[in-house]
């Protein structure tokens, strides 16, 4: 595991963008795993800027999103489909047919999850980018998720609903379920980058990286990944710095 501490959120985002660009330069048809949320917004903005300066093309790139809410239609502005379109896909030259997100509108969600897993097996992820939840979740793999878990539906915990309440106008309005790549799906990615920003993540990231590997803290499994890079800004790293 490589741990990089950057000065602030801007430098975290610039560094992450440079690693994405490096990957595309190495392989035009790279396959990415992508998160939503607050943390990657700066990364998507940086990548859009680089694209606008005509320094990169996403034409041959494929993307798989980590997760999507159940019960929120793709067209709803609060869905992760909409988030990705608005923050990234609408702004670059990626082909629609190369974009994959779990489809909560499928009649049979079990089948949808199995198909998503199968697709990822067919198109192995070269570089997967992650954020971390306050309870240590990655994707929507909440504490207690099995390390062997695959793409599936999952019940969201109160901590996650509280963190995401701002997007729904209150915790009670946050969907109760989501579809998420599993922890074993995530661990199969060839490279992983975990982005961590802000003081409110200092505690959980210290636990995930410096304490024992446990299903109670799903992100702790990343300690076992052969090519994982953790990029933190200084505020997120306050509890870690003394231990490095
Ligand atoms: C979202 C996802 C989640 C987030 C995590 C952190 O697609 O996979 O695991 O990365 O909840 O969210 P933010 O960045 O909003 O703090």
């Amino acid at each position: 595991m490589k741990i990089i501490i950057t000065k602030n959120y801007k430098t975290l985002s610039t560094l992450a963008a440079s690693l994405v660009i490096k990957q595309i330069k190495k392989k035009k048809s790279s396959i990415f795993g992508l998160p939503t949320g607050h943390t990657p917004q700066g990364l998507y903005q940086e990548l859009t800027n680089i694209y606008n300066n005509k320094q990169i093309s996403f034409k041959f790139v494929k993307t798989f999103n980590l997760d999507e809410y159940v019960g929120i239609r793709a067209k709803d502005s609060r869905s992760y489909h909409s988030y990705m379109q608005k923050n990234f896909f609408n702004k670059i030259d990626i082909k629609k047919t190369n974009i994959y997100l779990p489809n909560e509108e499928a009649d049979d969600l079990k089948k949808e999850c199995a198909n998503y897993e199968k697709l990822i097996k067919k198109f192995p992820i070269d570089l997967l980018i992650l954020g971390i939840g306050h309870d240590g979740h990655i994707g929507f793999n909440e504490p207690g998720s099995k390390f062997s878990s695959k793409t599936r539906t999952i019940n969201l915990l109160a901590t996650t609903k509280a963190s995401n309440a701002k997007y729904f106008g209150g915790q009670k309005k946050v969907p109760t379920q989501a579809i998420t790549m599993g922890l074993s799906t995530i661990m199969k990615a060839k490279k992983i980058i975990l982005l961590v920003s802000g003081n409110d993540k200092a505690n959980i990231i210290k636990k995930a990286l410096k304490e024992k590997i446990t299903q109670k803290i799903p992100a702790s499994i990343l300690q076992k990944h052969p090519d994982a890079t953790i990029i933190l800004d200084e505020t997120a790293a306050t509890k870690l710095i003394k231990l490095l």
Side-chain angles (χ1 to χ4, degrees):
M1 231 177 15
K2 201 165 149 190
I3 299 177
I4 304 174
I5 299 169
T6 62
K7 193 150 184 46
N8 53 39
Y9 179 64
K10 169 87 180 146
T11 46
L12 170 147
S13 303
T14 316
L15 174 61
S18 72
L19 296 174
V20 170
I21 299 297
K22 189 173 158 197
Q23 175 64 42
I24 300 174
K25 288 198 166 147
K26 197 168 101 188
K27 182 180 159 197
K28 267 199 288 193
S29 58
S30 284
I31 301 169
F32 290 93
L34 298 178
T36 58
H38 171 71
T39 315
Q41 281 181 349
L43 161 66
Y44 294 141
Q45 186 56 55
E46 286 294 326
L47 288 173
T48 304
N49 295 344
I50 295 168
Y51 169 75
N52 286 337
N53 290 331
K54 302 202 173 7
Q55 287 166 345
I56 201 76
S57 169
F58 295 87
K59 226 181 219 160
F60 303 103
V61 160
K62 276 193 191 14
T63 61
F64 285 90
N65 264 82
L66 280 156
D67 41 20
E68 178 58 286
Y69 290 114
V70 172
I72 300 286
R73 303 276 111 158
K75 283 213 174 98
D76 189 309
S77 62
R78 298 163 304 177
S79 76
Y80 285 169
H81 279 75
S82 296
Y83 171 103
M84 289 309 296
Q85 294 298 341
K86 181 173 146 233
N87 287 291
F88 196 36
F89 296 150
N90 280 348
K91 300 179 174 175
I92 56 168
D93 63 347
I94 190 164
K95 286 187 190 154
K96 271 197 175 134
T97 48
N98 282 342
I99 296 172
Y100 299 91
L101 280 106
N103 175 19
E104 74 84 39
E105 293 177 27
D107 291 333
D108 183 340
L109 288 186
K110 232 182 179 169
K111 225 186 208 170
E112 167 63 17
C113 293
N115 284 342
Y116 203 68
E117 189 73 28
K118 234 190 246 167
L119 266 173
I120 296 172
K121 204 168 180 189
K122 184 169 166 199
F123 300 114
I125 295 173
D126 293 299
L127 174 57
L128 178 80
I129 297 157
L130 293 171
I132 183 169
H134 293 108
D135 59 6
H137 70 228
I138 45 177
F140 270 137
N141 292 284
E142 297 282 35
S145 293
K146 293 212 166 90
F147 288 151
S148 59
S149 58
K150 294 185 175 169
T151 303
R152 69 202 184 289
T153 54
I154 187 156
N155 295 328
L156 300 180
L157 297 183
T159 37
T160 298
K161 287 193 213 154
S163 301
N164 293 355
K166 53 185 179 286
Y167 303 116
F168 290 89
Q171 191 170 331
K172 285 203 175 122
K173 295 185 186 154
V174 180
T176 52
Q177 278 200 320
I179 300 176
T180 182
M181 277 185 205
L183 291 171
S184 83
T185 328
I186 288 173
M187 286 298 279
K188 277 182 204 124
K190 290 175 205 158
K191 269 180 196 293
I192 293 181
I193 295 175
L194 170 65
L195 303 177
V196 198
S197 167
N199 191 33
D200 54 316
K201 300 279 175 72
N203 232 343
I204 191 66
I205 195 61
K206 180 202 143 226
K207 281 191 183 160
L209 302 185
K210 289 290 163 196
E211 293 180 14
K212 71 168 193 282
I213 300 172
T214 163
Q215 288 181 175
K216 288 185 191 151
I217 301 181
S220 65
I221 187 69
L222 298 175
Q223 293 182 36
K224 278 197 180 163
H225 193 278
D227 192 351
T229 302
I230 322 297
I231 308 178
L232 310 105
D233 61 16
E234 273 180 6
T235 55
T238 46
K239 298 245 160 82
L240 263 179
I241 279 172
K242 299 167 215 146
L243 305 170
L244 293 175

